[in-house]
Amino acid sequence: RVDYFFYIGTYNRNFYLHHGVQKEKLIFMPYAVEPKNKILKEKDKTNNIFFCGKLFDKKNPLDLLIAFSKMQNKNINLLFAGEGSQKDELFNKAKSLNVSSRVKFLGLLNLQELDYWYDKIDLLVLPSGYGETWGLVVNEALEFNNPVIVSNMVGSSLDLCKGNGYIFECNNIKDLTKKLNKIYSLSKKEFHSLRVESANLKQKFSFKSIEENLLILTNSNAVK
């Protein structure tokens, strides 16, 4: 009895197909955020890794902290934006790992503050486990042409991490550390190529894509 189903990404599309929805009824309506219209330009790494979200179990911020402590490059900072039940544990763990001087807790940020930091980072890391159905912070990072590293449990991983970063196995700290080291071993040219791909992806997962697909749908119905 349903004419069309809107899907936000690959996993959502596969869900509908699994339940017998015909391909002709599927319309791409991507998750998107307000466009920032940031001009893509080559830049040096700032040595800032960004985590944005609630500091609690589902997001696995502790995994990121441990992986960060094992990185080869000791001149990098880890920035936590957000609040949550694990904040004290993270603070104490940073001390015990002897990285507290390079770990910053920024607290809960407003939109203007978030924009400021998205513009100052090298990459966003989202290490979430089960229950991260999309991860809109990845879209936000892409708006600033930032590379990303996400776990394979993040709902947007197949769509928003394609040539612009790396997917790692959830809860696999060794794998996450490897991917972090890989980012920071890239040349300036290689790093810029990741930024180019993020810029390309944000064009697809955008309000413009939503508008265009709605117009196609509207026009096709008008013809009928």
Side-chain angles (χ1 to χ4, degrees), residues 48-115:
N48 289 315
I49 298 170
F50 198 48
F51 172 99
C52 185
K54 293 181 179 179
L55 304 177
F56 71 139
D57 286 345
K58 187 179 84 172
K59 301 283 187 179
N60 289 330
L62 193 59
D63 284 2
L64 174 57
L65 176 61
I66 296 171
F68 167 77
S69 72
K70 296 177 180 293
M71 289 181 65
Q72 296 166 352
N73 190 329
K74 303 303 182 184
N75 296 313
I76 300 167
N77 300 309
L78 175 57
L79 312 175
F80 284 106
E83 296 286 348
S85 57
Q86 279 194 312
K87 185 174 182 179
D88 289 342
E89 183 181 1
L90 288 163
F91 184 83
N92 292 329
K93 188 67 173 179
K95 278 187 173 181
S96 68
L97 293 171
N98 296 316
V99 294
S100 57
S101 63
R102 296 189 288 121
V103 177
K104 315 295 181 185
F105 293 93
L106 305 176
L108 194 62
L109 304 180
N110 62 37
L111 292 177
Q112 290 74 28
E113 291 168 330
L114 279 172
D115 286 354

Side-chain angles (χ1 to χ4, degrees), residues 190-206:
E190 291 169 329
F191 180 69
H192 183 66
S193 71
L194 300 186
R195 290 174 54 79
V196 170
E197 291 305 317
S198 283
N200 291 335
L201 282 169
K202 75 179 180 184
Q203 300 302 321
K204 181 179 179 182
F205 287 81
S206 64

Side-chain angles (χ1 to χ4, degrees), residues 205-217:
F205 287 81
S206 64
F207 290 165
K208 186 176 181 180
S209 288
I210 295 173
E211 180 184 4
E212 290 174 349
N213 289 343
L214 281 173
L215 286 173
I216 292 171
L217 179 60

